[in-house]
Structures are given as structure tokens and as C-alpha cells.
Amino acid sequence: MSGTLYERLGGTEGITKIANDVVDLHLLNPAIAVRFKNAKADEKAMKNGAATFLMAGTGGLDLYKGADMMTTHKGMNISEKEFIEVMADVMKAMDMSNVGQREKEEVLFVLFSMREEIVAV
């Protein structure tokens, strides 16, 4: 295992595919899809934001222009169940891209470390 997590996830191309799949899964997930109903019109921007966020967070180019997690989720009152559903969608998207177990664990660790900035804020 060598290289950054960004490289091990397939660089820009691999991460873009994972992010696109994550957004598609969120939009289909009955437990969280309602959170995205108003944003559906700008699905391309959601996918770009997810991809650039994941690229920056895994050691790739820092192209993310969105708000920090606390600012983005403040006042949304996201539940623990919704957070777990998001994590499950991320795991499923990584499975769709045949991401290795170690890389999955690293991505989930990073996402879980942001829990306090997302759940019930």
C-alpha cells in the first residue's frame, strides 16, 4: 500500500465516479432523499462538490469551494440514522468501484470524524 488515499481511490477519475455514485444513491435512498429534493435541480453541482470535497480530504488537489461541514449542516437537525444512511451510501458507492477494504476504512474514518459537525447541529 503506497501513495495517498487520493491516489489509491483512483485519483480524480476514481473519486469523481465514487462521488457521482454517492449522490445518485442519496437521491434514491428513502431515508435521506427528502434532504436533497430542492437540490435535485442542481445535481451536477452536488456531484462536483462531493468530488472536490473528497479529493481535498484524501490528499488530492484542494479544489473544494463549499462551506465547512458545520456551516453546511447547521440548523438541519440531521439525525444519527440519517448520518448512518449517508455512510452506508458511501460504502455502497465504494463497493461499486471495487475500492479495497483498507481504503474503505480510511474514508469511513474521515467521514465519521466529522460526525459532531453534522449530526444535530
Side-chain angles (χ1 to χ4, degrees):
M1 177 174 53
S2 61
T4 64
L5 181 55
Y6 167 82
E7 293 165 340
R8 291 181 282 129
L9 290 172
T12 298
E13 184 178 323
I15 289 175
T16 298
K17 181 187 180 321
I18 293 167
N20 288 345
D21 289 341
V22 167
V23 171
D24 290 342
L25 291 167
H26 286 354
L27 294 172
L28 295 172
N29 185 333
I32 60 175
V34 68
R35 295 282 188 177
F36 300 95
K37 70 179 181 181
N38 293 332
K40 179 120 171 93
D42 205 358
E43 191 174 318
K44 183 177 178 182
M46 286 186 346
K47 288 179 176 182
N48 181 64
T52 56
F53 180 80
L54 190 54
M55 285 177 212
T58 58
L61 298 173
D62 188 4
L63 303 173
Y64 181 68
K65 303 292 184 217
D68 62 64
M69 291 297 101
M70 179 69 83
T71 301
T72 298
H73 298 96
K74 191 169 180 83
M76 293 178 71
N77 199 28
I78 293 171
S79 70
E80 188 73 35
K81 179 179 180 352
E82 290 172 308
F83 182 74
I84 296 301
E85 289 290 332
V86 166
M87 302 278 277
D89 285 350
V90 171
M91 181 65 95
K92 189 181 294 184
M94 289 190 293
D95 285 342
M96 292 164 63
S97 288
N98 298 311
V99 171
Q101 184 62 33
R102 176 66 183 179
E103 288 74 21
K104 287 180 199 173
E105 291 170 4
E106 288 181 48
V107 169
L108 292 178
F109 176 81
V110 170
L111 295 176
F112 193 79
S113 74
M114 293 183 278
R115 182 193 165 285
E116 290 185 15
E117 299 173 40
I118 297 170
V119 175
V121 295

PDB file of all heavy atoms in Angstrom, residues 60-74:
ATOM      1  N   GLY A  60      -5.636  14.891  -2.459  1.00  0.00           N
ATOM      2  CA  GLY A  60      -5.577  15.358  -3.844  1.00  0.00           C
ATOM      3  C   GLY A  60      -5.585  16.869  -3.912  1.00  0.00           C
ATOM      4  O   GLY A  60      -5.347  17.560  -2.918  1.00  0.00           O
ATOM      5  N   LEU A  61      -5.902  17.377  -5.084  1.00  0.00           N
ATOM      6  CA  LEU A  61      -5.973  18.819  -5.286  1.00  0.00           C
ATOM      7  C   LEU A  61      -7.044  19.424  -4.388  1.00  0.00           C
ATOM      8  O   LEU A  61      -8.111  18.851  -4.211  1.00  0.00           O
ATOM      9  CB  LEU A  61      -6.289  19.129  -6.746  1.00  0.00           C
ATOM     10  CG  LEU A  61      -5.267  18.652  -7.763  1.00  0.00           C
ATOM     11  CD1 LEU A  61      -5.795  18.881  -9.181  1.00  0.00           C
ATOM     12  CD2 LEU A  61      -3.952  19.371  -7.564  1.00  0.00           C
ATOM     13  N   ASP A  62      -6.768  20.597  -3.841  1.00  0.00           N
ATOM     14  CA  ASP A  62      -7.728  21.279  -2.972  1.00  0.00           C
ATOM     15  C   ASP A  62      -8.553  22.230  -3.823  1.00  0.00           C
ATOM     16  O   ASP A  62      -8.288  23.424  -3.893  1.00  0.00           O
ATOM     17  CB  ASP A  62      -7.002  22.021  -1.850  1.00  0.00           C
ATOM     18  CG  ASP A  62      -7.969  22.576  -0.821  1.00  0.00           C
ATOM     19  OD1 ASP A  62      -9.191  22.311  -0.935  1.00  0.00           O
ATOM     20  OD2 ASP A  62      -7.518  23.280   0.095  1.00  0.00           O
ATOM     21  N   LEU A  63      -9.570  21.687  -4.492  1.00  0.00           N
ATOM     22  CA  LEU A  63     -10.445  22.465  -5.357  1.00  0.00           C
ATOM     23  C   LEU A  63     -11.795  22.746  -4.726  1.00  0.00           C
ATOM     24  O   LEU A  63     -12.639  23.396  -5.332  1.00  0.00           O
ATOM     25  CB  LEU A  63     -10.659  21.717  -6.691  1.00  0.00           C
ATOM     26  CG  LEU A  63      -9.402  21.369  -7.475  1.00  0.00           C
ATOM     27  CD1 LEU A  63      -9.758  20.495  -8.681  1.00  0.00           C
ATOM     28  CD2 LEU A  63      -8.692  22.628  -7.932  1.00  0.00           C
ATOM     29  N   TYR A  64     -12.014  22.252  -3.512  1.00  0.00           N
ATOM     30  CA  TYR A  64     -13.310  22.399  -2.849  1.00  0.00           C
ATOM     31  C   TYR A  64     -13.576  23.866  -2.525  1.00  0.00           C
ATOM     32  O   TYR A  64     -12.764  24.532  -1.903  1.00  0.00           O
ATOM     33  CB  TYR A  64     -13.349  21.555  -1.578  1.00  0.00           C
ATOM     34  CG  TYR A  64     -14.661  21.637  -0.836  1.00  0.00           C
ATOM     35  CD1 TYR A  64     -15.811  21.089  -1.385  1.00  0.00           C
ATOM     36  CD2 TYR A  64     -14.752  22.261   0.395  1.00  0.00           C
ATOM     37  CE1 TYR A  64     -17.024  21.157  -0.719  1.00  0.00           C
ATOM     38  CE2 TYR A  64     -15.952  22.326   1.073  1.00  0.00           C
ATOM     39  CZ  TYR A  64     -17.087  21.778   0.516  1.00  0.00           C
ATOM     40  OH  TYR A  64     -18.284  21.852   1.178  1.00  0.00           O
ATOM     41  N   LYS A  65     -14.733  24.353  -2.949  1.00  0.00           N
ATOM     42  CA  LYS A  65     -15.097  25.757  -2.737  1.00  0.00           C
ATOM     43  C   LYS A  65     -16.298  25.911  -1.803  1.00  0.00           C
ATOM     44  O   LYS A  65     -16.752  27.013  -1.562  1.00  0.00           O
ATOM     45  CB  LYS A  65     -15.442  26.419  -4.078  1.00  0.00           C
ATOM     46  CG  LYS A  65     -14.338  26.353  -5.103  1.00  0.00           C
ATOM     47  CD  LYS A  65     -13.158  27.195  -4.722  1.00  0.00           C
ATOM     48  CE  LYS A  65     -12.124  27.179  -5.837  1.00  0.00           C
ATOM     49  NZ  LYS A  65     -10.779  27.182  -5.363  1.00  0.00           N
ATOM     50  N   GLY A  66     -16.835  24.801  -1.298  1.00  0.00           N
ATOM     51  CA  GLY A  66     -18.017  24.849  -0.444  1.00  0.00           C
ATOM     52  C   GLY A  66     -17.694  25.254   0.982  1.00  0.00           C
ATOM     53  O   GLY A  66     -16.535  25.441   1.358  1.00  0.00           O
ATOM     54  N   ALA A  67     -18.747  25.374   1.763  1.00  0.00           N
ATOM     55  CA  ALA A  67     -18.625  25.743   3.171  1.00  0.00           C
ATOM     56  C   ALA A  67     -18.110  24.556   3.984  1.00  0.00           C
ATOM     57  O   ALA A  67     -18.170  23.409   3.537  1.00  0.00           O
ATOM     58  CB  ALA A  67     -19.984  26.185   3.704  1.00  0.00           C
ATOM     59  N   ASP A  68     -17.623  24.845   5.190  1.00  0.00           N
ATOM     60  CA  ASP A  68     -17.187  23.761   6.073  1.00  0.00           C
ATOM     61  C   ASP A  68     -18.412  22.964   6.531  1.00  0.00           C
ATOM     62  O   ASP A  68     -19.555  23.377   6.339  1.00  0.00           O
ATOM     63  CB  ASP A  68     -16.396  24.311   7.264  1.00  0.00           C
ATOM     64  CG  ASP A  68     -17.228  25.244   8.129  1.00  0.00           C
ATOM     65  OD1 ASP A  68     -18.217  24.776   8.728  1.00  0.00           O
ATOM     66  OD2 ASP A  68     -16.892  26.435   8.210  1.00  0.00           O
ATOM     67  N   MET A  69     -18.189  21.816   7.110  1.00  0.00           N
ATOM     68  CA  MET A  69     -19.272  20.905   7.466  1.00  0.00           C
ATOM     69  C   MET A  69     -20.249  21.513   8.474  1.00  0.00           C
ATOM     70  O   MET A  69     -21.459  21.350   8.346  1.00  0.00           O
ATOM     71  CB  MET A  69     -18.719  19.583   8.017  1.00  0.00           C
ATOM     72  CG  MET A  69     -18.022  18.729   6.969  1.00  0.00           C
ATOM     73  SD  MET A  69     -19.121  18.187   5.644  1.00  0.00           S
ATOM     74  CE  MET A  69     -18.701  19.337   4.336  1.00  0.00           C
ATOM     75  N   MET A  70     -19.741  22.218   9.464  1.00  0.00           N
ATOM     76  CA  MET A  70     -20.619  22.821  10.474  1.00  0.00           C
ATOM     77  C   MET A  70     -21.540  23.857   9.822  1.00  0.00           C
ATOM     78  O   MET A  70     -22.749  23.851  10.048  1.00  0.00           O
ATOM     79  CB  MET A  70     -19.800  23.467  11.591  1.00  0.00           C
ATOM     80  CG  MET A  70     -20.651  24.119  12.660  1.00  0.00           C
ATOM     81  SD  MET A  70     -21.568  22.950  13.674  1.00  0.00           S
ATOM     82  CE  MET A  70     -20.321  22.491  14.842  1.00  0.00           C
ATOM     83  N   THR A  71     -20.988  24.718   9.007  1.00  0.00           N
ATOM     84  CA  THR A  71     -21.788  25.745   8.331  1.00  0.00           C
ATOM     85  C   THR A  71     -22.812  25.108   7.397  1.00  0.00           C
ATOM     86  O   THR A  71     -23.976  25.520   7.359  1.00  0.00           O
ATOM     87  CB  THR A  71     -20.870  26.700   7.542  1.00  0.00           C
ATOM     88  OG1 THR A  71     -19.952  27.305   8.456  1.00  0.00           O
ATOM     89  CG2 THR A  71     -21.666  27.772   6.824  1.00  0.00           C
ATOM     90  N   THR A  72     -22.402  24.105   6.659  1.00  0.00           N
ATOM     91  CA  THR A  72     -23.287  23.439   5.703  1.00  0.00           C
ATOM     92  C   THR A  72     -24.472  22.779   6.390  1.00  0.00           C
ATOM     93  O   THR A  72     -25.593  22.833   5.882  1.00  0.00           O
ATOM     94  CB  THR A  72     -22.499  22.380   4.904  1.00  0.00           C
ATOM     95  OG1 THR A  72     -21.466  23.037   4.174  1.00  0.00           O
ATOM     96  CG2 THR A  72     -23.394  21.628   3.941  1.00  0.00           C
ATOM     97  N   HIS A  73     -24.263  22.176   7.563  1.00  0.00           N
ATOM     98  CA  HIS A  73     -25.301  21.362   8.201  1.00  0.00           C
ATOM     99  C   HIS A  73     -26.006  22.038   9.370  1.00  0.00           C
ATOM    100  O   HIS A  73     -26.982  21.499   9.890  1.00  0.00           O
ATOM    101  CB  HIS A  73     -24.694  20.029   8.645  1.00  0.00           C
ATOM    102  CG  HIS A  73     -24.182  19.238   7.489  1.00  0.00           C
ATOM    103  ND1 HIS A  73     -22.871  19.280   7.113  1.00  0.00           N
ATOM    104  CD2 HIS A  73     -24.814  18.430   6.601  1.00  0.00           C
ATOM    105  CE1 HIS A  73     -22.715  18.515   6.032  1.00  0.00           C
ATOM    106  NE2 HIS A  73     -23.874  17.992   5.699  1.00  0.00           N
ATOM    107  N   LYS A  74     -25.564  23.235   9.761  1.00  0.00           N
ATOM    108  CA  LYS A  74     -26.160  23.937  10.899  1.00  0.00           C
ATOM    109  C   LYS A  74     -27.649  24.196  10.652  1.00  0.00           C
ATOM    110  O   LYS A  74     -28.042  24.674   9.600  1.00  0.00           O
ATOM    111  CB  LYS A  74     -25.439  25.247  11.169  1.00  0.00           C
ATOM    112  CG  LYS A  74     -25.838  25.892  12.475  1.00  0.00           C
ATOM    113  CD  LYS A  74     -24.915  27.035  12.808  1.00  0.00           C
ATOM    114  CE  LYS A  74     -25.301  27.685  14.102  1.00  0.00           C
ATOM    115  NZ  LYS A  74     -24.790  27.006  15.259  1.00  0.00           N
TER     116      LYS A  74
END
